[in-house]
Amino acid sequence: MTRKYLFAGFGGQGLLFSGKVLAYKGLIEDKNVSWLPSYGPEMRGGTASCGVTISDGPIGAPIVLEPDVLVAMNLPSLDKYEEKVVPGGYIFVDSSLIERKVKRSDVKVFYVPATKLAGENGSSALANMILVGKLLKELGDYNADSVDKALGKCISARHADMLELNRRMMEIGRDF
Amino acid sequence: MAVVFDRPHALLDVPFHYCPGCTHGIVHRLVAEVIDELGIEGKTVGIAPVGCSVMAYDYFACDMIEAAHGRAPAVATGVKRAYPNDLIVFTYQGDGDLASIGTAETVHAAARNENITVIFINNAIYGMTGGQMAPTSLPGQVTQTSPYGRDPKACGYPVKICEMLSELEGPEYLERVTVNSVKNVMNAKKAIKKAFQNQIDGKGFSLIEVVSSCPTNWGMTPKDALKWIDDHMLPYYPLGVYKDRSAGIDKFAKKEG
Amino acid sequence: MSEKVLMKGNEAIAEAAILAGCRHYFGYPITPQTEIAAYMAKRMPKIGGTFLQAESEIAAINMVYGVASAGKRVMTSSSSPGISLKGEGISYLAGTDLPAVIVNAQRGGPGLGGIQPSQSDYFQATRGGGHGDYHIIVLAPSSVQEMAQLTIKAFELADEYLMPAMILADGTTGQMMEPVSFDFEIKEPPAKPWATTGTKGERRHNIANSLYLDPEKLERINNERFARYEIIKEKEQLAEEYLTEDAEIVVTGFGIAARIARNAVDEARAQGIKAGLIRPITLWPFPDKVYKKALKTAKRFISVELSMGQMIEDVKLATECKVPVSLCYRVGGMIPTPAQVLEAIKQAAKEVK
């Protein structure tokens, strides 16, 4: 099975990082993974995106054009990518930043006020991790052990407090 | 019979291709004598430029590299960084090479205080290509590409390398010498020796600008060319030490207060 | 370090270079390859190596020339406009028979172009890029693992054949992260008795030089160099063949284009079209043998490129135009989609029926 994820939003929302955690989790679970960011000036405050592909077989194009899973963290991203999601796919919306509803009816949609929840729990900059927790849960893919290992790969041991906070955010998402 | 004058060991027994009266021969000899006296031939690598001295690699007995036009300081940087403690690296460059096409490489090697020695031959003309205007050609100087004399309004002013580089924090030692008299040749040798010694001592970037003659392209006899240095070149390019950081000399240092 | 880590392609190149014994790197910032410089800047001082941000790409390649003359493994990297500036130095390296590794993370052109991925420096890379008759070895990775593996191979080939070798990557392969293992066996670099490391009073001087004013000598040296190129063409061709055994429609592309084409080939097979893929790994030498082999069943070739059609010329040469070769492309930083390639395959299938 191959699953393509697209994280989209503003630069600075941690989209690349959440993609990396997801990719590392795949790697830890012995899958083939590929992670591709948008790059250039848009990384600095404009719209940014990051595509992750996780597969049991070899991965062809690493570019995510038609995601199975979209995580939208601002309105322009939802506007741009909503139509691209494959039928039967998933859309996760940060409802504290995006007011409108998803128009499509052939995808599964989850509204999570991630930025608000993250702010209430210590850092609004970690809304991304709440959404990752939620998507893993809804995809039936939340494996606490590999999540922990993936976080360990992405956050240096010197920042144990950050690691703990990220884990908590993922759990908040999982339990939302 | 006692030998009173011989070829330095660091020069190979190969006839120079230089024109009669050209001062490249003198400067080659000075560099070779210094290499002999410092006993560094076996660990010296020279970088030849593009220009009249392009074939310097055939004359020096040490290992030699031929660089692209103007790039000798960058090539020297590579060699020196590869063997910072084991090799002595010098470049030998003309004015077109060092002060025109290679200005950036010259300035930045100096700014980095790269531990290399640069021998800069300034004869105010492109010799190899047949006498075109150089970055250091004097105002009014007639060349093939300034047939009515260099007009600063159209072609700009000559580049004064020692003055320019001495504004940088980087370089260790900058001196301008000439080789148009016995006394000046002796001074030039002293400066060149110091420029190599600085490198041995790890002091950094040393550049010796040698005001030289080009009788062929200046259209003069060798003797008149040497006199032309005194009359025209030196007033524009004053001799002297422009920077010697270890000795506290900085000709253009801003006065306190 | 056999454990797989997630790494960007650019970083994998840098780490592999260090593993290969490269201790000298010279660069100049340009998107999208600056991660290589950043990685080297961090690592080199800790392992006694040199990282130097040069004043220009021109200076950087000439510093490379200096280290290569002195016989040590050395690398530089840049992206398209910067590689043009290095062209002079690459020609000198080739003319002096010096080994060095150059990375080009291609971006759209010409001119300043853009910063998104491209493959439009194919001609520049495979024909030499600078002035004079020469080639450089050109390797085209299509995954992060290959970025690492081919970097090591580039150093080995450069040393073996005394010539520059280039990693021809692009913005995508440089920026993407994939698992990579650095479990490589690194061969000792060969002895370099020609290097300018000082005579130590024990031998006649070595000269690193590309100037030969005697035309007869220069002709002889060019002929000798090209005789060496023939050996490389014979021995060093590399390509991946995917489902080509019975393929009637052979799609071909390198680097990121091949990854996209592979998806389309899978989809075409699922639809009953006999499609296959040839992915050249060496672009110079061009792997013409696998194309000739594919001619047994191929009725049509499709070259997938992020250029206006450059590699397609080598495909036509390799197949001697025995069957039609068409082009499927996007440029300017745009990337062909698997759907676009699939359309081209279906069109070709219709035409050969």
Side-chain angles (χ1 to χ4, degrees), chain A residues 68-136:
Chain A
D68 299 290
V69 180
L70 170 66
V71 175
M73 291 190 71
N74 67 7
L75 182 60
S77 299
L78 184 62
D79 289 346
K80 188 172 174 186
Y81 296 115
E82 177 178 343
E83 289 306 315
K84 310 275 187 197
V85 178
V86 299
Y90 296 75
I91 300 180
F92 294 85
V93 176
D94 185 339
S95 57
S96 38
L97 300 176
I98 304 170
E99 285 179 16
R100 84 164 170 88
K101 300 291 176 194
V102 171
K103 294 168 195 153
R104 287 178 58 178
S105 53
D106 60 344
V107 292
K108 301 177 200 73
V109 184
F110 300 87
Y111 299 97
V112 184
T115 299
K116 183 165 158 284
L117 283 173
E120 288 165 4
N121 286 280
S123 171
S124 60
L126 292 180
N128 56 332
M129 301 316 289
I130 290 187
L131 289 163
V132 176
K134 177 69 176 171
L135 84 81
L136 287 176

Side-chain angles (χ1 to χ4, degrees), chain B residues 160 165 215 232:
Chain B
K160 298 179 173 184
L165 295 185
H232 298 275

Side-chain angles (χ1 to χ4, degrees), chain A residues 24 33 35 39 60-61 153, chain C residues 3 6 115 176-177 259 263:
Chain A
Y24 247 117
V33 305
W35 172 101
Y39 63 85
K153 289 285 183 189
Chain C
E3 192 199 350
L6 269 187
I115 58 166
M176 74 181 176
M177 246 194 315
R259 300 270 298 249
N263 284 18

